[in-house]
Amino acid sequence: MLKPGLPKLIATDLDGTLVRSDDTVSDYTHEVLQRVRNAGIRIVAATGRGPRLTSLTRNDIRVADYLVLAQGGWVLDQAEARYLRQSRLPGPMLGQVLGALESVVGPLSVMFEALEHDDSPLWGDYDPTWRYPVTVEARTRDECLTGDVIKAFARSFELGVDDLLAVARRVVPPDVATVTQAGLDYLEICPADVDKGTGLAVVAEAVGVDPADVLVFGDMPNDLPMFGWAGWGRVAVANAHPELLAVADTVTLTNDEDGVAVFLDQLLSRR
């Protein structure tokens, strides 16, 4: 249930939630977010995008105080221009995770995100199903696993992503790695204890905000941890995954209808 008054902090997912299907953010959404910020409410982007997409993220949510990136593994304080969290998954441990998965589901197509500078390439197996422009540097899996990585993307040739995630939830211990999916038809494998909830907790501690005063918006299973963490309200867009719709306090319009901005506009108007 949504709490009365106004939250002290708002966190929103980007792709599929704030960002429309044509990969744009409307002028209306930017204007509403600016009014939210002018009202003294902190704004956080909570996204699966890694630090290699920091410039794109800043463009899509221009007034964000913090960026929670890479499913919560990297947390950037924009005002101080410094990271409060930088998590990586050891290559050998990731290799064990992939081996355990492939023993159940068969071969996987895997891409690795290891570099954090803007527009850096992914490593591994280029997959034509990837919907965004990307440079993939061809490397063998063994080469990719020699060091630590930010996260990995894995696609099954046989199973849909929801079914693959269900298997991963069974066979990957949470103290080894975190598994989720963000709507790209890929399982995402991140370091243990990395999710949007733990990423937002880093921000909340830094600014002295209680989770009970945080409002969150999302659309996919990778948003479930922050929906479980935030206490002021959990809002799903109408195009959200069934798992998220099942735990949302309320549902706003779709991302293509600027659902987040419409909800916030109405919230400011009522208060």
Side-chain angles (χ1 to χ4, degrees), residues 51-52 113-122 134-135:
R52 69 188 182 89
E113 186 164 347
L115 306 176
E116 67 267 23
H117 58 270
D118 258 341
D119 297 323
S120 58
L122 300 178
V134 66
T135 299

Side-chain angles (χ1 to χ4, degrees), residues 164-187:
L164 181 60
L165 177 58
V167 172
R169 285 169 171 169
R170 293 198 308 268
V171 305
V172 180
D175 61 343
V176 172
T178 301
V179 293
T180 191
Q181 72 104 339
L184 289 175
D185 295 328
Y186 285 79
L187 178 73

Side-chain angles (χ1 to χ4, degrees), residues 8-74:
K8 294 181 180 178
L9 186 149
I10 290 169
T12 182
D13 172 57
L14 297 182
D15 300 302
T17 301
L18 192 78
V19 179
R20 299 180 294 192
S21 298
D22 64 358
D23 299 327
T24 65
V25 177
S26 71
D27 291 340
Y28 169 65
T29 293
H30 285 303
E31 186 269 329
V32 171
L33 289 174
Q34 183 63 63
R35 284 197 280 119
V36 169
R37 192 67 190 85
N38 292 345
I41 301 171
R42 297 179 188 274
I43 297 176
V44 180
T47 178
R49 299 177 184 178
R52 69 188 182 89
L53 298 176
T54 297
S55 292
L56 175 65
T57 301
R58 284 173 171 153
N59 184 64
D60 284 341
I61 185 164
R62 300 166 189 165
V63 296
D65 300 280
Y66 292 84
L67 304 183
V68 173
L69 303 162
Q71 307 295 7
W74 290 58

Side-chain angles (χ1 to χ4, degrees), residues 102 105-109 141 155-158:
E102 290 185 322
V105 303
L108 297 169
S109 173
R141 185 176 297 186
R155 186 175 72 85
S156 169
F157 297 101
E158 302 294 336

